[in-house]
Amino acid sequence: MADSSIRNFCIIAHIDHGKSTLADRFLELTGTIEKRDMREQTLDGMDLERERGITIKAKAVMMQYKQSGVDYKLNMIDTPGHVDFAYEVMKSLQACEGALLLVDSSQGVEAQTVANAHLAVNAGLTIIPVQNKIDLPHSHPDEVDLEIENSLALPKEDCVRISAKTGQNVEELLRTIIAKIPPPTGDPDKPLRALIFDSVYDDYVGVIVYVRVIDGRIKKRDKIIMLGTNRTHEVIEIGVFKPKRTPGEMLEAGEVGYIISGIRRLQDVKIGDTVTSDKGERAASLPGYVEPKPMVFCGLYPTNHSDYESLREALDKLALNDASFTYEPETSEALGFGFRCGFLGLLHMDVVQERIERESGIDIITTAPSVGYEVLLNSGKSVRVRSAAEVPDPSTFSEFREPIVRLSLLIPSEAIGPLMTLCVERRGEYVKTDYLSPTRALLVFDMPLAEILFDFYDKLKSATRGYGTMDYELHGYRAADLVKCKILVGGQEVDALSTIVERTQAERRGRAVLLKLRKEIPRHLFEVVLQAAIGGKIIARESIRPLMKNVIAKCYGGDISRKRKLLEKQKEGKKRMKSVGNVEIPQQAFLAVLQTDDE
């Protein structure tokens, strides 16, 4: 059997409930990092994480802790809290036997707390409920204990109360982890089976593969094969994270660590794949992970067309490190060659865009985010549509379906009325209300994903004075009265600016785009007509007046017919120019319109 002194666990919680701070205290207590090297949120190594104060990538670290004469190996994974990075949490759960479910003692159970608890239960993990921030003057641990019991069905007696900031009761929590979380069940004498739960590209050593060994053992210089890609490699370096890479000689069943095999081709590694030995008996594949379905799509285009190949390389490296991100090439008449990318949400999209710009130094344009739709063709076949440019001719399909999400809102009881009004205005369908305590309620609605994409979260925070939280999961597709709103500049359709909207909102959204364009497109020597259309019907129009030369300035006095003749001549020239002239849309105009539209 695997070493009984190993404990594999992760920390899961709602955003900003203190996961990374608790990880810091564990690193201090176990002496994994010396006091002089400590800093706040030590495991958040990415600049973007430290600037935004959020965890984006799950981080693994191996700690050693001595209790009753036994040296325990504690493999901990610190996970993100935001709904957009739920896939990182799901990957981490499969590498563990237990989970610490952290709850803020002043804020109580939040939407993402409930979602993460369900993920841990479904993964069959031992859950230890932990109340953090008990040192705050406005904490109310007794009420939060009841919320944990009512909403998560975890006994309140099992809840450990700590303060990750001051270190209060953190050592007691370490002892609880050792006592309650079971050791791994793998067998080191069986054929090798290891799960790839993450990977990252390094310019010097190639792809670094993060593994959890289920059965068997991996040694330096072993020949291994990845079953998903059927590629054989030799282990050049093997080790654990403390939290920096620390080389060793071997990883045994139950341990978490990394492998370096000089892999240069990014396609040779797949998250969720099984690693086994190239010699002797080959083990069966592990179940791996369910492929994440992108919820939000947008186009990424290089500002400088010569950066196209550099952008492709940057996306390759990013996809290796973030399996929930997808992309494929696409072409736009207005923006040239680029990529249609899929994300799990708007924050995910924002983070990916910023990572590309920072890590590769490429300036990119992001088109307006849209959700993925389904179109039922007259032939009975359904096709996925991810942008307005992909919408087929209306005469060829019978139904336009939009994605519906099950939206869970954890809000103060007095905000139920305003939130129900907001959800109904956004075409939501009421499901249920659960009261977690006399002052807090869980409101559940089925709502189109497109309606919560832009400013719903801001309106939720305003209506609840900052106390409301939300979580959502895809619930299916539903038929709706959707149309493609085309934007025409000088009679020519600009595909990058066209959007899919609900019919009743098409005019408002179309006019908002035209007003932005009117401000951004410079005046030409001829009139520029801006139009929004559904099919062949124009629903909104704006025009940009032409630049006019004062042709009658030299006419002082004399017959009016002379002036009229000059003006008519100018008018004819403008008409002729309009028929042959091209409207130049500057980059700034696209950037202004393609910003997240909250109007």
Side-chain angles (χ1 to χ4, degrees):
M1 290 297 289
D3 190 344
S4 61
S5 67
I6 296 173
R7 298 290 183 275
N8 297 317
F9 68 96
C10 58
I11 309 174
I12 56 177
H14 187 81
I15 192 167
D16 205 28
H17 278 205
K19 295 180 294 299
S20 299
T21 308
L22 177 59
D24 288 351
R25 296 294 82 74
F26 282 155
L27 293 171
E28 263 183 15
L29 263 172
T30 56
T32 307
I33 292 183
E34 289 187 28
K35 199 90 172 172
R36 64 169 183 257
D37 297 327
M38 279 300 295
R39 58 176 185 172
E40 287 188 12
Q41 287 84 42
T42 305
L43 296 182
D44 289 347
M46 213 185 293
D47 288 342
L48 204 54
E49 291 178 313
R50 305 195 68 77
E51 286 168 22
R52 292 184 178 228
I54 59 171
T55 302
I56 293 168
K57 285 291 298 176
K59 308 290 189 314
V61 62
M62 197 270 270
M63 307 176 292
Q64 289 177 304
Y65 182 70
K66 195 164 188 173
Q67 183 183 302
S68 307
V70 180
D71 281 323
Y72 287 96
K73 286 182 188 173
L74 306 176
N75 291 312
M76 173 183 71
I77 301 178
D78 178 26
T79 66
H82 199 280
V83 62
D84 283 15
F85 307 115
Y87 189 65
E88 288 288 321
V89 179
M90 196 178 81
K91 286 194 307 178
S92 305
L93 295 175
Q94 287 208 26
C96 303
E97 280 78 38
L100 303 184
L101 184 67
L102 213 59
V103 181
D104 189 322
S105 189
S106 61
Q107 294 181 358
V109 173
E110 304 278 25
Q112 203 57 30
T113 316
V114 179
N116 286 337
H118 288 162
L119 284 175
V121 169
N122 293 339
L125 269 59
T126 300
I127 301 173
I128 300 174
V130 181
Q131 270 200 59
N132 189 20
K133 306 188 184 182
I134 57 167
D135 57 311
L136 293 179
H138 51 281
S139 68
H140 40 89
D142 294 335
E143 289 175 36
V144 175
D145 273 347
L146 285 171
E147 281 185 19
I148 290 170
E149 192 165 75
N150 293 340
S151 60
L152 307 174
L154 296 169
K156 62 181 180 183
E157 297 78 29
D158 292 353
C159 194
V160 183
R161 297 180 181 180
I162 66 159
S163 167
K165 191 173 183 181
T166 64
Q168 184 183 344
N169 293 343
V170 174
E171 193 145 15
E172 182 193 325
L173 178 57
L174 268 179
R175 290 193 284 268
T176 306
I177 290 166
I178 291 167
K180 291 193 175 179
I181 292 176
T185 56
D187 189 343
D189 298 321
K190 280 188 176 179
L192 170 65
R193 274 201 314 169
L195 173 74
I196 299 176
F197 69 89
D198 209 348
S199 58
V200 65
Y201 186 83
D202 186 282
D203 288 334
Y204 298 101
V205 297
V207 179
I208 302 167
V209 180
Y210 296 15
V211 293
R212 156 72 200 269
V213 184
I214 308 297
D215 291 314
R217 45 175 71 88
I218 313 176
K219 296 177 186 168
K220 208 170 170 181
R221 298 296 168 200
D222 276 359
K223 288 276 178 69
I224 55 168
I225 186 165
M226 295 176 185
L227 296 179
T229 55
N230 206 30
R231 305 280 296 187
T232 305
H233 308 281
E234 184 184 345
V235 178
I236 297 169
E237 184 181 315
I238 193 166
V240 294
F241 299 99
K242 287 190 168 183
K244 290 179 180 174
R245 296 201 312 263
T246 308
E249 290 300 316
M250 180 173 66
L251 285 177
E252 281 198 326
E255 291 192 303
V256 174
Y258 70 91
I259 301 169
I260 296 174
S261 303
I263 302 170
R264 289 286 167 187
R265 276 167 40 96
L266 304 176
Q267 300 87 338
D268 290 348
V269 178
K270 195 177 174 207
I271 306 279
D273 200 357
T274 304
V275 176
T276 186
S277 178
D278 190 37
K279 291 179 182 175
E281 186 186 344
R282 278 195 190 174
S285 285
L286 292 160
Y289 301 113
V290 178
E291 285 287 322
K293 286 186 179 175
M295 309 276 270
V296 177
F297 297 90
C298 82
L300 292 184
Y301 294 85
T303 308
N304 187 346
H305 297 312
S306 62
D307 286 336
Y308 178 75
E309 283 304 323
S310 303
L311 179 58
R312 185 195 288 276
E313 285 175 25
L315 293 175
D316 278 342
K317 289 179 184 178
L318 196 63
L320 177 75
N321 188 232
D322 184 354
S324 58
F325 163 67
T326 62
Y327 68 96
E328 59 184 52
E330 75 165 2
T331 312
S332 161
E333 287 180 21
L335 301 172
F337 293 102
F339 298 88
R340 170 69 31 184
C341 304
F343 311 91
L344 296 183
L346 283 181
L347 178 64
H348 187 206
M349 184 183 99
D350 192 30
V351 163
V352 165
Q353 181 189 345
E354 202 160 335
R355 281 185 71 183
I356 289 168
E357 288 183 334
R358 284 181 183 218
E359 292 169 18
S360 61
I362 302 168
D363 281 332
I364 54 176
I365 296 173
T366 311
T367 65
S370 63
V371 301
Y373 297 90
E374 270 186 6
V375 171
L376 184 66
L377 301 175
N378 294 334
S379 61
K381 184 184 170 188
S382 68
V383 293
R384 287 264 286 169
V385 171
R386 295 163 305 173
S387 69
E390 294 179 7
V391 177
D393 188 274
S395 62
T396 62
F397 63 85
S398 57
E399 205 170 72
F400 213 146
R401 298 173 182 158
E402 63 182 341
I404 303 296
V405 292
R406 176 63 56 91
L407 180 68
S408 302
L409 303 168
L410 248 165
I411 55 173
S413 303
E414 65 267 18
I416 288 177
L419 257 298
M420 288 189 86
T421 305
L422 176 64
C423 291
V424 171
E425 283 173 358
R426 299 293 180 101
R427 300 187 288 132
E429 287 185 4
Y430 174 75
V431 178
K432 63 175 181 177
T433 306
D434 289 333
Y435 284 89
L436 304 186
S437 72
T439 57
R440 302 184 77 221
L442 179 69
L443 197 60
V444 182
F445 269 84
D446 284 345
M447 188 177 289
L449 176 60
E451 294 290 346
I452 63 171
L453 204 58
F454 294 109
D455 61 344
F456 184 85
Y457 188 66
D458 295 339
K459 285 188 162 52
L460 164 69
K461 286 293 183 187
S462 298
T464 59
R465 290 173 301 169
Y467 288 105
T469 57
M470 65 181 254
D471 177 52
Y472 58 83
E473 58 183 21
L474 191 63
H475 198 55
Y477 286 81
R478 187 172 69 195
D481 188 12
L482 302 167
V483 292
K484 175 184 176 180
C485 181
K486 297 187 290 187
I487 302 297
L488 295 93
V489 177
Q492 299 292 314
E493 184 183 343
V494 183
D495 57 346
L497 301 179
S498 300
T499 53
I500 299 168
V501 292
E502 213 243 337
R503 192 181 292 275
T504 57
Q505 296 179 4
E507 186 185 340
R508 181 180 65 84
R509 292 287 287 275
R511 194 169 294 283
V513 171
L514 297 187
L515 288 170
K516 277 189 178 179
L517 275 180
R518 189 179 162 193
K519 288 178 190 170
E520 297 294 333
I521 296 177
R523 290 168 70 185
H524 288 57
L525 289 170
F526 52 89
E527 184 187 34
V528 177
V529 177
L530 310 173
Q531 295 166 313
I534 298 173
K537 183 185 176 186
I538 304 297
I539 56 169
R541 173 190 160 121
E542 295 287 336
S543 58
I544 302 170
R545 287 180 57 217
L547 289 167
M548 301 290 283
K549 182 183 176 185
N550 189 358
V551 292
I552 58 171
K554 59 187 177 184
C555 299
Y556 46 93
D559 188 11
I560 188 67
S561 61
R562 188 176 168 213
K563 293 181 180 178
R564 203 167 282 152
K565 188 178 174 184
L566 286 169
L567 289 170
E568 285 298 323
K569 193 175 176 184
Q570 184 187 43
K571 196 174 174 183
E572 284 300 314
K574 296 282 182 197
K575 200 181 289 182
R576 195 163 59 251
M577 201 183 291
K578 186 177 179 180
S579 65
V580 296
N582 288 322
V583 182
E584 288 186 7
I585 307 176
Q587 213 79 19
Q588 298 93 306
F590 280 107
L591 291 170
V593 175
L594 299 176
Q595 295 301 321
T596 301
D597 186 12
D598 56 357
E599 291 183 45

